[in-house]
Amino acid sequence: MLLCIDCGNTNTVFSIWDGSSFRATWRIATDHRRTADEYFVWLSSLMMLTKVEAQISDAIISSTVPRVVFNLRVLCNRYFDCRPLVVGKPDCALPVAPRVDQGTTVGPDRLVNTVAGFDRHGGDLIVVDFGTATTFDVIDHDGAYIGGVIAPGVNLSLEALHMAAAALPHVDITKPQAAIGTNTVTCIQSGVYFGYIGLVEGIVRQIRIERDRPMKVIATGGLAALFDQGFDLFASVEDDLTMHGLVLIHRFNHKGQVA
């Protein structure tokens, strides 16, 4: 079976793919100090508690945090006796190479979302990922990543507002009942929620103008469903987009053979 690992700035997700579906998915806070042994104790305990029996023979890693990759590699080598593919490394091929400025390093998560988005929706696509940063990935007609946009993430913006303004509390993001807040909390929630709705609409509009063609928009990430409520922003919201992309990239590198 295939172990898919998606390491973001905030959380790291582990999923087990059996060749036809994901058997289980678990999430842990990203911490570059966590050792391979700690990962294994945590992962094996969850597999036992949830009664997931899996003989892992392959692994693939996407990480936006370079410092964690070493211990994830050790985890795969020591405990699963396999050499993981790492998206973004020279030995991990992509179906279509990105077309960006020479010398530019594209985030592995963006490459993975590009592969998955193109597989499910075809080209001329915008993938909006609500993570620690809110990213917009632009995919050409042939599946190539051709650039995008990086904006501060929703929770990052809330935290920055709380830290910079002593009188403002830390609030959880939710869809407010109205744009006009009647207390401090609802004022902040309205500003962030409707502000990000406007951000998405404005950036998508500008991308479509620059591309001068119809562009389908899909969303992923933990807060994607929240921003889909009551607004016609996205053609689809897909929580498993990154994991799907990891399976596809592994398959591409192993000629269709997924253990």
Side-chain angles (χ1 to χ4, degrees), residues 96-175:
V96 184
R99 291 195 287 270
V100 293
D101 293 344
Q102 188 173 2
T104 298
T105 300
V106 181
D109 55 332
R110 309 184 79 175
L111 297 174
V112 174
N113 285 346
T114 294
V115 172
F118 181 71
D119 179 70
R120 287 182 170 173
H121 300 280
D124 293 325
L125 184 70
I126 304 169
V127 179
V128 184
D129 188 349
F130 291 91
T132 304
T134 300
T135 60
F136 297 72
D137 302 324
V138 182
I139 302 169
D140 209 349
H141 65 93
D142 61 348
Y145 171 88
I146 58 171
V149 176
I150 301 175
V154 178
N155 287 318
L156 189 63
S157 295
L158 281 168
E159 187 66 25
L161 187 63
H162 170 62
M163 294 295 291
L168 297 180
H170 185 279
V171 302
D172 293 326
I173 184 63
T174 187
K175 181 182 179 182

Side-chain angles (χ1 to χ4, degrees), residues 186-209:
T186 57
C187 285
I188 295 172
Q189 289 173 334
S190 177
V192 172
Y193 185 84
F194 290 111
Y196 270 83
I197 292 293
L199 180 145
V200 172
E201 290 178 330
I203 290 176
V204 167
R205 179 170 59 250
Q206 186 60 33
I207 290 172
R208 284 172 169 161
I209 290 172

Side-chain angles (χ1 to χ4, degrees), residues 12-245:
T12 300
V13 181
F14 291 71
S15 287
I16 297 175
W17 173 260
D18 66 7
S20 59
S21 64
F22 286 107
R23 296 277 298 277
T25 297
W26 300 289
R27 187 179 301 265
I28 191 171
T30 298
D31 184 351
H32 70 271
R33 298 168 299 179
R34 187 171 286 115
T35 67
D37 301 329
E38 289 174 310
Y39 279 121
F40 180 71
V41 169
W42 170 80
L43 185 59
S44 60
S45 297
L46 284 173
M47 291 172 66
M48 181 180 65
L49 288 170
T50 54
K51 299 180 180 179
V52 174
E53 297 181 4
Q55 189 66 37
I56 294 171
S57 58
D58 294 272
I60 183 168
I61 300 168
S62 168
S63 178
T64 59
V65 185
R67 295 177 71 184
V68 307
V69 174
F70 175 78
N71 282 320
L72 290 173
R73 282 183 182 271
V74 174
L75 167 72
C76 298
N77 289 327
R78 180 180 298 167
Y79 290 105
F80 303 120
D81 193 27
C82 66
R83 183 175 184 271
L85 274 175
V86 180
V87 179
K89 299 298 184 182
D91 61 342
C92 183
L94 298 173
V96 184
R99 291 195 287 270
V100 293
D101 293 344
Q102 188 173 2
T104 298
T105 300
V106 181
D109 55 332
R110 309 184 79 175
L111 297 174
V112 174
N113 285 346
T114 294
V115 172
F118 181 71
D119 179 70
R120 287 182 170 173
H121 300 280
D124 293 325
L125 184 70
I126 304 169
V127 179
V128 184
D129 188 349
F130 291 91
T132 304
T134 300
T135 60
F136 297 72
D137 302 324
V138 182
I139 302 169
D140 209 349
H141 65 93
D142 61 348
Y145 171 88
I146 58 171
V149 176
I150 301 175
V154 178
N155 287 318
L156 189 63
S157 295
L158 281 168
E159 187 66 25
L161 187 63
H162 170 62
M163 294 295 291
L168 297 180
H170 185 279
V171 302
D172 293 326
I173 184 63
T174 187
K175 181 182 179 182
Q177 296 297 315
I180 301 173
T182 54
N183 55 64
T184 302
V185 170
T186 57
C187 285
I188 295 172
Q189 289 173 334
S190 177
V192 172
Y193 185 84
F194 290 111
Y196 270 83
I197 292 293
L199 180 145
V200 172
E201 290 178 330
I203 290 176
V204 167
R205 179 170 59 250
Q206 186 60 33
I207 290 172
R208 284 172 169 161
I209 290 172
E210 293 179 12
R211 295 291 292 160
D212 193 24
R213 68 188 68 183
M215 300 287 291
K216 181 183 288 186
V217 183
I218 65 171
T220 189
L223 293 175
L226 175 65
F227 287 94
D228 194 42
Q229 296 180 17
F231 293 89
D232 188 23
L233 295 176
F234 312 119
S236 177
V237 174
E238 302 178 18
D239 293 335
D240 66 339
L241 189 71
T242 303
M243 287 300 164
H244 178 62

